[in-house]
């Protein structure tokens, strides 16, 4: 049993009096464990976090636990609950003048707001959080808000605004920071939309170098982005090699939906090269996995390519 699992088992086995003592003596570690299991077991994170909130005597601790709940509920697709938890976390933090935790609650709300289509609210909250974090001399946290803001502006089709935020991220963070390659990939995607292909490929290459051979799904996505650049520039053979490697990595990770998205992108490149039968065959294979994953936009894109081929 891992150390974190042991901590949780000890917590769950304790009565209310012991739990109060545990939070008083080792609260930082207990809250960190709740945060660490959000993506692995969101339901358990919510359950354990709720039991800690019931006995916590510190509003800043409660706010942090509610922020963890915000992330867990968003992960489960419960966006309204997630936003409500974030706002309660902010209220609790402001009640004890914990400005940093209050700002971080707004940051946590950005994801469920974006997923529920409230992009303007997500941006407004992010901008407020960024200012509050800078005022609190928490520049490292503010820079991470810039990454969120950049990605939202990118999703809204505003690449120039996105680049303002993303540029701050790469200018501020050291090369070893794990967030830097994700910012570079987002910058490359913006440059690609703006038809700045050399600059886009440069950003993608740097992101790949930082992620390394074990870059996981992020590495596969960046490789597929490099393939898009190669395809647009007419380097079809190179594009197909990059797409193939990206799909291989997705298959190894069991990322079927991302592999299917890459198949559609590959089909697009094959169609551009006049390899229509190959393009149609690949896209037809991708349609069912895309439908199962609920990726309607990507599936529609595949169907559009098929309609052009027919």
């Amino acid at each position: 049993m891992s150390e974190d699992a042991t901590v949780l088992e000890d917590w769950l086995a304790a009565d209310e009096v012991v739990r109060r003592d545990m939070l008083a003596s080792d609260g930082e570690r207990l809250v960190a464990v709740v945060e660490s299991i959000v993506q692995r077991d969101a339901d358990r994170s919510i359950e354990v976090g709720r039991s800690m909130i019931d006995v916590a005597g510190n509003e800043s601790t409660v706010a942090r636990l509610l922020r963890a709940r915000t992330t867990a509920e968003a992960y489960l697709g419960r966006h309204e609950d997630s936003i409500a938890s974030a706002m309660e976390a902010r209220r609790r933090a402001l009640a004890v003048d914990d400005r940093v935790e209050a700002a971080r609650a707004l940051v946590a709300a950005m994801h469920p707001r974006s997923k529920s289509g409230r992009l303007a609210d997500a941006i407004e909250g992010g901008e407020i959080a960024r200012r509050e974090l800078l005022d609190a001399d928490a520049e490292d946290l503010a820079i991470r808000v810039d990454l969120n803001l950049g990605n939202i502006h990118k999703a809204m089709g505003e690449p120039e605004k996105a680049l303002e935020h993303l540029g701050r991220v790469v200018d501020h963070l050291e090369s070893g920071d794990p967030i830097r390659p994700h910012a570079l990939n987002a910058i490359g995607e913006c440059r690609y939309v703006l038809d700045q292909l050399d600059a886009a490929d440069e950003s993608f290459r740097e992101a790949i170098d930082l992620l390394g051979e074990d870059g996981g799904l992020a590495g596969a996505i960046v490789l597929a982005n490099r393939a898009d650049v190669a395809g647009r520039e007419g380097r079809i053979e190179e594009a197909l090699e990059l797409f193939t490697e990206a799909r291989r990595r997705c298959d190894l990770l069991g990322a079927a939906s991302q592999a299917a998205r890459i198949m559609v992108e590959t089909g697009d490149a094959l169609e551009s090269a006049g390899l229509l039968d190959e393009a149609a065959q690949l896209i037809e294979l991708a349609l069912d996995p895309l439908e199962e994953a609920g990726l309607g936009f990507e599936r529609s894109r595949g169907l559009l390519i098929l309609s052009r081929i027919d």
Side-chain angles (χ1 to χ4, degrees):
M1 184 180 294
S2 70
E3 194 169 325
D4 284 356
T6 301
V7 170
L8 286 180
E9 290 301 321
D10 289 345
W11 172 266
L12 293 171
D15 61 24
E16 183 176 327
V17 174
V18 174
R19 286 180 176 181
R20 290 184 189 277
D21 290 341
M22 290 174 72
L23 269 181
S25 62
D26 205 11
E28 180 69 26
R29 183 185 182 193
L30 285 164
V31 175
V33 170
V34 171
E35 292 172 332
S36 72
I37 65 171
V38 165
Q39 292 189 357
R40 187 169 70 251
D41 193 341
D43 285 316
R44 187 174 177 82
S45 174
I46 292 170
E47 175 193 354
V48 176
R50 183 180 292 114
S51 69
M52 291 183 184
I53 289 171
D54 288 342
V55 298
N58 181 293
E59 288 292 271
S60 289
T61 299
V62 171
R64 186 171 166 187
L65 288 164
L66 285 167
R67 176 163 55 84
R69 182 192 295 179
T70 298
T71 305
E73 288 169 336
Y75 189 77
L76 293 169
R78 291 159 44 185
H79 300 310
E80 295 301 323
D81 290 341
S82 179
I83 295 167
S85 293
M87 294 303 98
E88 177 65 10
R90 181 167 171 82
R91 187 186 70 78
R92 297 278 193 131
L94 288 173
V96 291
D97 201 31
D98 188 340
R99 310 300 296 184
V100 171
E101 190 57 49
R104 296 187 76 179
L106 283 178
V107 177
M110 292 176 73
H111 178 71
R113 282 172 166 170
S114 297
K115 288 295 184 179
S116 56
R118 304 177 190 179
L119 298 178
D121 288 344
I123 288 174
E124 181 182 8
E127 293 286 5
I128 292 171
R130 182 178 178 277
R131 289 195 298 271
E132 291 180 353
L133 290 168
L134 290 173
D135 289 343
D137 294 325
E139 187 176 5
D140 285 347
L141 292 175
I143 284 298
R144 282 153 173 75
V145 182
D146 275 307
L147 179 60
N148 291 352
L149 288 167
N151 280 324
I152 294 173
H153 280 296
K154 177 168 66 71
M156 293 177 70
E158 300 172 342
E160 294 91 349
K161 288 184 179 179
L163 287 170
E164 291 178 19
H165 292 284
L166 297 168
R168 290 192 195 116
V169 178
V170 295
D171 288 345
H172 178 82
L173 297 180
E174 296 180 359
S175 60
D177 192 293
I179 289 179
R180 186 178 176 87
H182 300 285
L184 285 164
N185 181 59
I187 286 172
E189 290 174 339
C190 291
R191 297 294 187 198
Y192 180 82
V193 170
L194 294 169
D195 207 30
Q196 300 170 359
L197 300 184
D198 287 343
D201 198 46
E202 182 181 348
S203 294
F204 293 143
R205 284 177 181 273
E206 186 177 350
I208 284 289
D209 289 343
L210 292 174
L211 288 167
E213 288 295 323
D214 298 323
L217 186 58
I221 291 170
V222 181
L223 280 175
N225 285 337
R226 284 204 60 220
D228 284 331
V229 173
R232 184 178 287 189
E233 291 183 334
R235 296 179 280 116
I236 299 301
E237 185 174 345
E238 181 182 353
L240 294 178
E241 289 176 358
L242 288 166
F243 277 134
T244 299
E245 175 60 18
R247 280 181 57 201
R248 184 188 71 81
R249 295 191 185 192
C250 289
D251 290 339
L252 286 174
L253 294 166
S257 60
Q258 187 60 47
R261 294 174 72 171
I262 292 172
M263 290 166 74
V264 172
E265 293 176 15
T266 309
D268 198 3
L270 288 167
E271 185 207 10
S272 298
L275 301 171
L276 303 185
D277 290 342
E278 292 88 342
Q281 182 179 14
L282 198 60
I283 290 173
E284 285 169 356
L285 289 173
L287 293 179
D288 284 346
L290 289 173
E291 185 173 18
E292 291 170 6
L295 297 174
F297 176 81
E298 288 80 1
R299 190 173 187 276
S300 296
R301 181 184 173 194
L303 290 171
L304 178 62
I305 295 169
L306 287 176
S307 71
R308 293 199 301 258
I309 293 173
D310 292 340

